[in-house]
Amino acid sequence: PLSCFPSEHQTAMALSSTLVAFLAASDVQGSWQYLPCRTRCRHTALHMARKKAVPSEPAYWIDEMDNVAINDDGNNRRIKFTIRGNPKVLVRHRTARGFMYNPSKASQDLFRDCLLEALPQEYHPIIIDSGDSDSDEPTVMFPEHEFLKLSLTFRMKRPNNHFIGSKPGPGRLKPNAPLKYYNNRSGDVDNLCKFVMDSLNQVLYADDRQVVCLNAIKVLDSDGDCKGSTDVEISVLNDEDENNIIM
């Protein structure tokens, strides 16, 4: 009987499924626009699902070769470390529904977590419970009475158009790509400094007001995949530093 044969709708659906399976297996690009609307939607859904399955890159991380260098010798105490990841600026606090919030809080927490993961346990901030929650401030490497010198090097992530075929990777920089400096919208250097200084509050020092000498530079990253990093060095300000600063 005629009912044994598939209908036109069933045939179209079977063909659409076959085409979607073929495109998914062969990863043909640019062919989806010639397919029926229903098939295009299925192919787009497959593509988006495959894209979401790829794990996203962390905002900050520390390479195995990046060691935290610490000199704990009296008044010459200093710490030096590198946090990998494209540097971010500190976004101004905003108000919503009558409450003020920090839009950079999530990024700052990730920055701190990376540092604490690499920092030796004996230099972690220690909170001593005195019974008064308002006065319980952590004991940090640089206490409040010390004045500090902070040096920051921001290595900004390069845009894809700096690489051959717009594919980042070691040795793939274009010959005409900027070598070190690049005037783009990657953020003002002062706001990059504010992000780091505020992030290290009650982690390495009691308050960023202790920083009385600040050196900062923003350059393009030329190391490896050029994904960006932040070099940080903090030291106790001594007489020699003061003589070099005040001419």
Side-chain angles (χ1 to χ4, degrees):
L2 292 177
S3 59
C4 295
F5 295 94
S7 64
E8 291 183 2
H9 175 72
Q10 291 173 329
T11 304
M13 290 294 293
L15 287 173
S16 297
S17 300
T18 304
L19 284 171
V20 170
F22 169 74
L23 289 172
S26 59
D27 200 19
V28 175
Q29 299 294 328
S31 301
W32 63 273
Q33 63 265 35
Y34 301 108
L35 299 177
C37 179
R38 187 189 301 269
T39 306
R40 289 205 305 268
C41 293
R42 289 186 177 184
H43 181 250
T44 302
L46 274 174
H47 175 72
M48 294 301 296
R50 210 179 329 169
K51 188 175 180 181
K52 289 181 180 179
V54 178
S56 60
E57 185 178 90
Y60 296 108
W61 68 94
I62 292 183
D63 285 348
E64 295 179 358
M65 64 184 72
D66 296 330
N67 296 321
V68 178
I70 299 176
N71 181 4
D72 204 1
D73 182 18
N75 292 330
N76 293 322
R77 288 183 303 112
R78 66 181 61 240
I79 182 173
K80 187 175 182 180
F81 59 92
T82 298
I83 302 293
R84 302 285 173 174
N86 196 29
K88 292 181 173 60
V89 299
L90 183 66
V91 182
R92 290 184 180 180
H93 284 52
R94 296 175 181 172
T95 303
R97 298 181 181 179
F99 295 95
M100 184 172 289
Y101 69 98
N102 177 13
S104 299
K105 184 180 183 304
S107 297
Q108 288 183 294
D109 289 343
L110 292 173
F111 189 90
R112 294 188 196 99
D113 290 344
C114 273
L115 171 59
L116 292 173
E117 184 179 345
L119 193 66
Q121 189 66 37
E122 59 265 31
Y123 295 101
H124 280 214
I126 301 173
I127 299 177
I128 300 175
D129 188 4
S130 64
D132 184 1
S133 59
D134 295 333
S135 63
D136 290 341
E137 294 187 357
T139 301
V140 290
M141 181 176 178
F142 300 101
E144 192 172 5
H145 67 272
E146 292 182 329
F147 297 104
L148 307 175
K149 175 183 176 182
L150 175 61
S151 299
L152 298 170
T153 301
F154 300 103
R155 306 184 191 279
M156 310 305 295
K157 180 179 179 180
R158 285 182 178 267
N160 288 343
N161 59 16
H162 283 194
F163 299 90
I164 299 172
S166 296
K167 295 181 179 180
R172 295 188 58 83
L173 275 177
K174 292 180 179 178
N176 60 345
L179 295 178
K180 186 176 290 186
Y181 306 110
Y182 183 55
N183 187 16
N184 61 358
R185 299 182 179 181
S186 57
D188 297 339
V189 68
D190 59 330
N191 289 326
L192 292 169
C193 292
K194 290 175 184 176
F195 179 93
V196 175
M197 293 174 67
D198 190 66
S199 298
L200 299 181
N201 275 334
Q202 298 190 355
V203 177
L204 291 178
Y205 44 69
D207 195 280
D208 55 12
R209 289 176 295 182
Q210 296 172 241
V211 178
V212 295
C213 178
L214 176 63
N215 296 323
I217 186 171
K218 181 179 74 169
V219 298
L220 285 169
D221 192 2
S222 299
D223 182 24
D225 291 337
C226 308
K227 294 182 178 179
S229 64
T230 304
D231 299 335
V232 182
E233 183 174 1
I234 307 173
S235 60
V236 177
L237 194 70
N238 53 41
D239 294 338
E240 182 179 351
D241 291 327
E242 292 181 8
N243 294 331
N244 291 334
I245 296 168
I246 304 174
M247 303 294 292

